[in-house]
Amino acid sequence: MNVAMILKEKGGDMVAAKPGDSLAAVCSLLAGHGIGAVLVLNPDGGIAGILSERDVVRGLAQHGGALLERSAESLMTRNVMVCAPADTIEDVMHVMTKRRIRHLPVMAEGKLVGMISIGDVVKRRIADTELEAEALRQYIATG
């Protein structure tokens, strides 16, 4: 199974912010959409960074409430790891675990086509495991 399967199930819709958006506005996006991270996109649609709930919590601990008036680009992670539709579930699980990240934008031929979360990956992995277990039960029952 691969990332393309996850995107096929969940779709490629993404929530994005602009580098100049206030962190208060970004927090509203996160809360309003029930998501843990938002991509920060340049005017040309390229990835400028990613901003997660964890980033906001760390920023609040360091800067206090004044953080909410700062811009997304002041807090975003700039070196964004990405994946491709052809990457396997195991590949992205490895990257997410090793890099301690929960979200990966998906790029195909230089174009942003979606974003997956660790929740999406775990859900797909569980579904695959259940299918495999059922196939083994059927094999044993008919064998």
Side-chain angles (χ1 to χ4, degrees), residues 56-95:
V56 173
V57 169
R58 286 185 193 118
L60 284 169
Q62 186 175 14
H63 302 288
L67 176 81
L68 296 176
E69 297 172 19
R70 296 178 72 166
S71 67
E73 67 185 335
S74 71
L75 192 63
M76 70 186 186
T77 299
R78 295 174 189 276
N79 185 19
V80 179
M81 297 293 303
V82 300
C83 64
D87 289 345
T88 67
I89 301 301
E90 290 78 18
D91 291 339
V92 294
M93 286 177 71
H94 176 75
V95 168

Side-chain angles (χ1 to χ4, degrees), residues 3 7 14 82-85 104-108 111-116:
V3 171
L7 287 181
M14 294 168 283
V82 300
C83 64
L104 282 174
V106 183
M107 301 287 289
K111 183 181 175 193
L112 181 62
V113 295
M115 186 157 75
I116 61 169

